[in-house]
Amino acid sequence: MLALLVLSVSGAALVAWLNQRGEAPVSSERPATLDAALVARGAYLARAGNCVGCHTERGGIEYAGGRRVDTPFGALFAPNLTPDAQTGLGRWSPSEFWRALHHGRGRDGRLLYPAFPYPSYTQVTREDSDALWAYLQSLTPVRRANTPHALRFPYNQQAALAVWRALYFRAESFVPDSSRGAEWNRGAYLVRGLGHCVACHAARNVLGASRGEFELGGGLIPMENWYAPSLAAADEASVAAWPKADVVALLQTGVAPQGMATGPMAEVVYRSTQYLSAPDLQAMAGYLQALPQEAADHRPAPAAEATVLRQGEQLYGQHCAKCHGEQGQGVAGIYPPLAGNRAVTLPASVNLIKSVLHGGFAPATAGNPRPFGMPPFAQQLNDAELAALLSYLRQAWGHQAAEVSLLDVQRAR
C-alpha cells in the first residue's frame, strides 16, 4: 500500500514537473500605449494564423468568441479575444499572452486545451506574440462572457489534461535550419508555427495527439469528417512537382490549374492565406515543395461490380458530363477535370462524397472574386445512386481507387 502511494505521488510530481518545465515567471506589466507599427504587424500575423476563423461565432462580432468546436471528447467554445476587461483579454499582459501561446497556460494558470493549437503556436517568436497581443488590444472591446466548455468526464479535468500534456506536449522554439535558405526557414515557420497546418493535415490517436511518421502526412479532421490529405504524398496533395507559381496561386486565390481549395481549406484561403504577402506565399510554397515525400501505394483496388459501374456511367452522363466533359476533361479555368484528379482518387473518399452531396465551391478571393461552383446533389440522388456514381468516377479513365460503398455515403450524409 505504501509503495502504491509513493508511486502515485511520484507520478503526480513528474506530471506536474513536465507541465511546468521551461516556464519562467510571467509579468503582469502592460505598456502604457500601443505602438502603431506593432499593431499593424499583429493584424497581419492574426491573418496568417486565421485567428478570426475560430474566435468568431457564426454571425457574431469578430474575435468576440463563442464559436463551438466539436471534438471526440465533447464541445469546446472559443474565448473572447477582444480587450474587454471583464470577459476578454483586457487585463492580459504581453507576458501572459506569450505564455498562453508558448506554454498553453491561461492568465489564471489553468492549462489550455490543445484545440487552441498551442502545440504549433509554441514555435511563434516572442516578438510576433507581442505584435499579436498589441493588435488584439487595439480592437473594440466586446462584453461577451465566455461559454463554458462541455467536455465529458474525465476530459473536463485539469489532471487529465496535465497527463495528456506530459505525454504529448513540450514547449519549443523555432530554430532556423542553417543548411537551408532564409525563404525555406520563413516557410517552415509559417507552416509549422503560426499557420498550424498540422492541426488538420495529421492523423490523430485515440487521445487526439498527432501521430505518424510524416508531420503533414494527412488525416481525418475529427468531427468535421473531412480528410485533410497528405502534403507529402504525390497521390494525395503533394505540390513538389507543381510549378511554384501554381502553389502560390492556390494559396492566394483558391484555384490553380491542378485544382481548387474546397471544404475547410477554402475557409483557410478565404480568411487567411489570400491576404499574405508575396514573399510569405513564396516561402510557404517553397517549404511545401521541399517536404520529404512519402512512398506512394500503387496497388490497384478491386473493381466494382459491372452493374454498379454501368449505373454510375449513366448517372455521370445525366448529371455531370455537361460541365466536366464526356471523358472527365473539364473546362480549363471553369470546371475542374475529373480524369486524373487526385481529389477523386484519394484513399479516403469522404471529401468526394461531401462535395457531391453538399456542392463544391472554391473561396471568393480578390484574385478569383466570382468562382464557379458545383450545386449540391443531396436531394437529386439517393445513397445507392451516389455510391454508384462516385465508384464510377474513382474507376473510370484509368483510375484504380476503391469503390464507394452505400455505407460510406450514409456516414457522410
Side-chain angles (χ1 to χ4, degrees):
M1 190 68 175
L2 180 60
L4 182 59
L5 178 62
V6 171
L7 184 62
S8 299
V9 171
S10 299
L14 177 61
V15 168
W17 176 81
L18 289 172
N19 275 276
Q20 295 175 1
R21 60 184 167 181
E23 286 193 38
V26 295
S27 168
S28 59
E29 183 177 353
R30 294 163 50 89
T33 58
L34 296 177
D35 179 81
L38 196 64
V39 169
R41 180 182 169 192
Y44 176 82
L45 294 170
R47 286 283 198 187
N50 192 22
C51 305
V52 72
C54 284
H55 289 275
T56 304
E57 188 177 21
R58 187 177 296 276
I61 301 173
E62 289 192 349
Y63 293 104
R67 180 165 178 173
R68 181 187 177 107
V69 179
D70 288 308
T71 79
F73 318 106
L76 296 161
F77 294 87
N80 183 350
L81 298 187
T82 73
D84 179 70
Q86 301 300 321
T87 64
L89 303 184
R91 295 179 178 175
W92 285 56
S93 69
S95 181
E96 291 163 342
F97 186 77
W98 157 249
R99 184 174 68 171
L101 263 64
H102 191 64
H103 292 286
R105 191 182 295 275
R107 181 172 182 263
D108 60 0
R110 290 177 63 83
L111 303 177
L112 303 177
Y113 287 96
F116 170 60
Y118 60 81
S120 295
Y121 290 165
T122 187
Q123 298 195 42
V124 172
T125 65
R126 176 61 193 265
E127 293 76 17
D128 281 353
S129 173
D130 287 352
L132 283 164
W133 175 88
Y135 169 65
L136 294 174
Q137 294 295 314
S138 75
L139 300 175
T140 301
V142 177
R143 181 66 58 89
R144 186 194 184 285
N146 291 320
T147 305
H149 299 319
L151 296 170
R152 299 189 305 277
F153 181 85
Y155 310 112
N156 58 355
Q157 302 296 306
Q158 284 279 292
L161 180 55
V163 171
W164 186 94
R165 287 164 50 98
L167 291 171
Y168 301 117
F169 172 69
R170 183 170 185 175
E172 59 183 63
S173 299
F174 178 76
V175 179
D177 185 340
S178 60
S179 68
R180 302 279 192 168
E183 182 181 86
W184 183 94
N185 278 294
R186 177 62 176 173
Y189 174 72
L190 290 169
V191 169
R192 299 183 63 219
L194 199 56
H196 62 284
C197 302
V198 73
C200 288
H201 289 275
R204 301 279 167 179
N205 64 20
V206 294
L207 294 178
S210 59
R211 60 176 175 82
E213 178 184 356
F214 295 90
E215 184 179 46
L216 297 168
L220 192 68
I221 303 175
M223 309 308 290
E224 291 192 28
N225 291 326
W226 281 90
Y227 178 71
S230 170
L231 300 179
D235 58 345
E236 294 199 21
S238 168
V239 293
W242 288 23
K244 193 173 184 179
D246 291 350
V247 186
V248 170
L250 185 67
L251 294 172
Q252 188 172 48
T253 69
V255 293
Q258 298 84 352
M260 67 182 188
T262 59
M265 188 62 198
E267 182 177 353
V268 172
V269 174
Y270 175 72
R271 292 187 178 275
S272 177
T273 57
Q274 71 161 313
Y275 298 103
L276 298 188
S277 67
D280 277 352
L281 289 170
Q282 290 279 339
M284 292 178 70
Y287 175 76
L288 293 172
Q289 289 190 304
L291 287 173
Q293 298 296 290
E294 299 179 57
D297 185 357
H298 296 294
R299 291 175 296 178
E305 292 184 5
T307 54
V308 171
L309 294 178
R310 282 197 299 270
Q311 182 188 17
E313 183 176 17
Q314 182 181 26
L315 290 167
Y316 180 81
Q318 293 173 352
H319 299 284
C320 314
K322 184 177 180 180
C323 293
H324 293 285
E326 294 291 340
Q327 300 302 315
Q329 72 273 18
V331 178
I334 302 177
Y335 304 117
L338 300 180
N341 190 324
R342 295 182 300 183
V344 174
T345 58
L346 282 173
S349 61
V350 63
N351 294 5
L352 182 63
I353 298 171
K354 289 170 78 73
S355 293
V356 176
L357 276 173
H358 307 301
F361 301 92
T365 59
N368 186 37
R370 302 182 70 179
F372 288 89
M374 181 178 69
F377 285 88
Q379 302 302 319
Q380 296 186 49
L381 302 175
N382 63 36
D383 292 349
E385 290 171 330
L386 279 165
L389 170 62
L390 300 182
S391 294
Y392 171 73
L393 294 182
R394 287 167 63 82
Q395 297 193 353
W397 312 306
H399 297 165
Q400 296 179 322
E403 68 177 304
V404 176
S405 71
L406 183 63
L407 183 59
D408 292 334
V409 177
Q410 290 170 341
R411 285 172 174 167
R413 192 189 282 271

